[in-house]
Amino acid sequence: MKRNPDGTWRNARRAIVVSNRIIIARWVTAEILRCKLTGLSMAAIAVHISRVGQAHERPLSPFPEGIEFPTNYRISESAVFKAYHKAMDRQPAINAEVFRKEDTARCEDMFLKLQRGVSQGDPRHIDTAVRVLAHKAKLNGYAVEPEQVSISGGSGLNIILNLGGPDPCHEIPAVSEDTSGN
């Protein structure tokens, strides 16, 4: 025996009937993906979809024909989270590269908007710009974790200078501190 889209059993002689609840669920999934692409948090998406369902806001993705939300429609943040991850599991892996490109474009847009404050020397803008660049580097796989430097290891820290001469690299060993008190 086959099932209806809402999970109930159906008679083999009857056609599949897509209920209003199923249409709303499919639209909510599309709206969640659209909102996530614009960079909204799960809590903000939940508030947005609840307000759209109550006709207080306009949707980002178009409504299907004949959709009717229940009165006082609400969706929780955890329901948005579950629906988002369920939708992402259904997406083919090839879309990961598309999402990476969109996220990179979003990072570049944020960095461009921070340039004015960075050029004026605002510490908050500079800190945020560095974080955006670090996120972009991590996202694209070219972030390098800094090596752990141990002063107590005895080897110290070596500085390599590129002087551009016949011997372009010159290594300056760091002076290790004597902790014995002599």
Side-chain angles (χ1 to χ4, degrees), residues 114-161:
L114 291 167
Q115 286 301 307
R116 187 173 180 196
V118 169
S119 64
Q120 293 174 352
D122 184 11
R124 289 185 68 194
H125 282 86
I126 293 170
D127 182 51
T128 306
V130 168
R131 289 176 190 236
V132 166
L133 288 176
H135 174 70
K136 181 181 169 192
K138 183 180 175 186
L139 176 73
N140 291 321
Y142 53 81
V144 177
E145 295 294 325
E147 295 179 17
Q148 298 292 328
V149 178
S150 174
I151 295 175
S152 62
S155 64
L157 175 68
N158 294 332
I159 301 172
I160 299 175
L161 297 175

Side-chain angles (χ1 to χ4, degrees), residues 21-36:
R21 186 175 171 184
I22 299 300
I23 295 171
I24 290 173
R26 289 182 182 163
W27 175 83
V28 165
T29 302
E31 187 76 3
I32 289 170
L33 290 175
R34 180 68 66 95
C35 288
K36 203 61 181 154

Side-chain angles (χ1 to χ4, degrees), residues 41-111:
S41 67
M42 297 293 181
I45 294 171
V47 169
H48 168 71
I49 291 175
S50 296
R51 291 186 52 81
V52 168
Q54 297 168 1
H56 295 298
E57 286 185 17
R58 294 183 49 94
L60 296 178
S61 56
F63 277 134
E65 290 292 322
I67 191 170
E68 292 180 24
F69 284 92
T71 56
N72 296 328
Y73 178 80
R74 292 185 332 206
I75 187 167
S76 66
E77 183 179 351
S78 62
V80 169
F81 183 82
K82 287 178 186 177
Y84 174 73
H85 284 285
K86 192 173 182 180
M88 290 306 291
D89 288 342
R90 279 191 241 126
Q91 298 284 335
I94 213 161
N95 280 348
E97 185 62 32
V98 172
F99 287 124
R100 185 175 294 115
K101 286 180 182 178
E102 288 174 355
D103 199 24
T104 301
R106 196 177 318 145
C107 288
E108 289 172 356
D109 187 44
M110 283 188 265
F111 186 72

